[in-house]
Amino acid sequence: MVAPVLPLYEILFTCTEWLPEIIATFAVLVAAARPWQRKWIIVSPVVSLVILPIFVIFDAKRVAKEAGYDMSLPRMRQALETYIWTGNGNLTDIIEGNRYPPLFHIEDFFSFVSWSQQSALHDTHQDADYVPLAYNKGDDWFENTLGEPMVYTGAIYPSFNESTWGAQLIKLEYIAHALGVKAGDRALDIGCGWGRLVNHMASKGATVTGITLAADQKEYAERMSATLGNSKNVKILQANFFDIELPERSFDVITAVEMAEHAGLRNYRKFLRKVIKLLTDDGTFYIQVAGLPRGYSTTHNHYEDLQWGLWMSQHIFPGADASCPMGWVITQLEQTAFEVQSSLNMGSHYARTMQDWLKHWESNRAVIEKKYGEASWRRWQVFLTWSLRIGRNGGSTVQFITAVKSGSERARLNAQRRLAPGVFQLPPETPCPGGGPSR
């Protein structure tokens, strides 16, 4: 079996999600136990924390050997860090060559524990620190990654030959179609990025509010809205969604496109409860979210998924700890009184998006290295290259989910008519309307 013995990621996010209940149960057991039993109960978590890393280290080595990795080479993550800081090594070979083993080292386990602690203690206010760190890198940084569309989310490539803008346009149109956006609608985009989706919905006649925590994104989105003539219909707020005060049932459609990961495991239900309060009874919610698999495959090395996730948390998306499987996300939605109308697994399209972004990034190497340095350019190159592989082989995926309030007959009937197979028609590729990079 070329796969881990334990579904490690499911164990991790389940323990994190239920940590208060686990602690309460442990306290009850300690209090109820007889004196001679109490010490064994108290010491059991410590023993588990010692045994688990040892087990994972040896199991990761077993899986790598059985999969045919070259055990004489450095660990994959070690090789990647060396490449980032020195430029030594062939990045394609390190990531795609299936030679550098994705082993767990004791330092990786400490990163794992740190991630778990961060997830368990995730506070809504810490997002104000983490989100700007991830997105205020500089407009030129993201322009040289995303190109003209300035959309930082997975696109749709029906033929896999579409241009970057063509694929993003299809995704934007799909979102508008899934929501049923029409003139006069009040729309909310949570985590609006640089403003492309809010302006696309405004082009349909909606009045749109975008929310972001990143100052750079707010300024960029406002410039894009002005350029496209949508300033009267688009309002961008720089605020924490958890803190912002808006009247209940204020919006006919709400989107959260690859931002709910930042809400965190601990606050996911709180996030969804706020969304459902802001949505009209006949409204529609679209959530696009990335997630790792639970870890049950018997033919796939999930240790690489975990290594990638830890690396991403450290270098790219700090605080985005709610990258969970589709089933978990749907359960959260249903337990918040949503009814899911459609759910699409679009991981290969995410990988294809990464391929385009990598091409943009590599074509602009000289510009980035001159301003930000070689190591910074290579770190982002690793992010894009590794994510391309992970999205392609199922180590992570992206879910396109449409939901309405449970019990809303009109909303579910309309949504199911729109989302029936064959109803959505691909838009013709038209030129990007502008508002992105000025050069």
Side-chain angles (χ1 to χ4, degrees), residues 58-316:
F58 279 93
D59 192 50
K61 186 176 291 187
R62 174 194 64 80
V63 171
K65 282 183 179 179
E66 292 182 7
Y69 286 91
D70 186 344
M71 305 305 288
S72 67
L73 292 174
R75 294 177 295 119
M76 176 185 280
R77 189 166 178 184
Q78 182 183 358
L80 289 172
E81 293 294 343
T82 299
Y83 173 79
I84 289 169
W85 290 109
T86 68
N88 293 333
N90 182 298
L91 180 60
T92 302
D93 184 39
I94 295 170
I95 290 177
E96 296 283 8
N98 294 322
R99 298 193 315 122
Y100 291 81
L103 301 178
F104 262 74
H105 191 267
I106 192 65
E107 66 188 47
D108 298 317
F109 191 78
F110 287 141
S111 297
F112 210 61
V113 171
S114 175
W115 185 91
S116 302
Q117 182 183 32
Q118 170 187 292
S119 301
L121 301 176
H122 192 127
D123 184 271
T124 57
H125 298 293
Q126 76 186 38
D127 297 329
D129 297 322
Y130 284 137
V131 172
L133 185 65
Y135 300 104
N136 282 343
K137 294 180 183 295
D139 292 343
D140 58 339
W141 182 281
F142 289 102
E143 288 177 344
N144 284 302
T145 303
L146 309 177
E148 191 175 25
M150 284 304 285
V151 182
Y152 197 21
T153 54
I156 298 177
Y157 293 80
S159 72
F160 272 52
N161 293 318
E162 286 76 14
S163 68
T164 306
W165 166 247
Q168 290 292 359
L169 174 62
I170 293 169
K171 192 269 303 291
L172 294 168
E173 279 291 306
Y174 175 78
I175 293 174
H177 173 82
L179 292 167
V181 176
K182 59 187 182 301
D185 277 350
R186 298 161 299 166
L188 174 66
D189 184 20
I190 310 165
C192 66
W194 292 269
R196 184 63 71 186
L197 178 56
V198 294
N199 277 283
H200 192 74
M201 289 193 287
S203 74
K204 306 288 185 184
T207 300
V208 193
T209 300
I211 299 176
T212 178
L213 271 167
D216 287 1
Q217 290 185 337
K218 179 181 187 295
E219 293 174 8
Y220 203 105
E222 289 176 338
R223 288 200 305 272
M224 182 181 288
S225 300
T227 300
L228 299 179
N230 292 325
S231 294
K232 291 183 179 180
N233 295 328
V234 171
K235 178 169 64 174
I236 307 297
L237 305 176
Q238 185 185 346
N240 190 326
F241 175 67
F242 287 103
D243 297 334
I244 198 166
E245 295 293 335
L246 294 167
E248 292 188 13
R249 299 178 177 84
S250 297
F251 300 98
D252 304 293
V253 297
I254 299 178
T255 56
V257 186
E258 294 181 36
M259 64 71 51
E261 299 88 335
H262 286 285
L265 285 165
R266 182 183 175 192
N267 301 303
Y268 213 88
R269 201 78 59 82
K270 180 179 180 181
F271 166 73
L272 292 176
R273 283 197 296 266
K274 183 154 189 173
V275 170
I276 206 166
K277 284 182 180 179
L278 293 176
L279 190 65
T280 59
D281 291 340
D282 291 332
T284 307
F285 177 43
Y286 176 89
I287 178 170
Q288 185 171 314
V289 60
L292 276 70
R294 296 174 186 271
Y296 285 98
S297 174
T298 58
T299 58
H300 176 73
N301 188 348
H302 288 296
Y303 285 121
E304 184 182 346
D305 312 344
L306 295 172
Q307 287 281 4
W308 174 80
L310 290 172
W311 189 88
M312 292 282 285
S313 179
Q314 180 181 347
H315 290 287
I316 309 299

